Amino acid sequence: MKTGILAVSFGTSNLEALENSIVPLEREIAAAFPDAVCYRAFTSGTIRKIRKRRTVEGKPDFQDALRELSLQNCRKVHLVPLLLTAGVHTREDMAGEEPVSLRSLLEREGFAVSWSMRGLGEIPAIREMYIRRVKDAYRSLENTKGGLF
């Protein structure tokens, strides 16, 4: 029996952002856990609705993940939040007891579900990356009137 990993983020309706950030991270998670079945799940109800209206071939959604987890004979799924804080999206949308939470949806399908309630901002190395990013941005914008960096 395999275990599934759902990489849980707020999500995005911007396909370029999806391809540049979420998809590469998912690939790296899958490579790091070759014995698990890895998929994405978005916590934002708005993003889920937008993606449902704009179905793009080859861009799996949560229903695709459910089907594939079942096909791969997964009975256990870990929900891993890829969010800076373990706030409302983590506590309610991902792991909450509400009928529309990812946890509830998976449990209704018969999966044993576990989850992490630790936001990425609680990890010192992640905070250090943010500080480097702010320093780089500050230096690049220090002598300009604004703009993108």
Side-chain angles (χ1 to χ4, degrees), residues 84-95:
L84 188 61
T85 63
V88 171
H89 287 294
T90 302
R91 286 182 281 116
E92 295 177 12
D93 302 332
M94 183 187 84

Side-chain angles (χ1 to χ4, degrees), residues 57-120:
E57 190 175 326
K59 307 291 185 229
D61 65 8
F62 183 69
Q63 294 303 318
D64 294 322
L66 277 177
R67 277 189 296 279
E68 192 59 30
L69 289 166
S70 292
L71 286 172
Q72 295 286 334
N73 199 30
C74 293
R75 296 311 326 145
K76 186 178 201 179
V77 177
H78 297 299
L79 300 175
V80 182
L82 302 178
L83 301 159
L84 188 61
T85 63
V88 171
H89 287 294
T90 302
R91 286 182 281 116
E92 295 177 12
D93 302 332
M94 183 187 84
E97 294 182 10
E98 297 80 9
V100 295
S101 74
L102 297 174
R103 169 189 164 192
S104 294
L105 295 170
L106 288 160
E107 288 176 342
R108 266 199 308 279
E109 294 295 322
F111 294 99
V113 183
S114 61
W115 55 90
S116 168
M117 293 300 285
R118 189 174 182 202
L120 294 175

Side-chain angles (χ1 to χ4, degrees), residues 123-130 132:
I123 302 169
I126 300 294
R127 291 194 304 268
E128 289 170 17
M129 287 179 9
Y130 271 91
R132 282 194 308 273

Side-chain angles (χ1 to χ4, degrees), residues 8-22:
V8 181
S9 66
F10 180 82
T12 181
S13 60
N14 181 300
L15 294 179
E16 183 179 356
L18 179 76
E19 291 297 326
N20 290 337
S21 59
I22 295 172

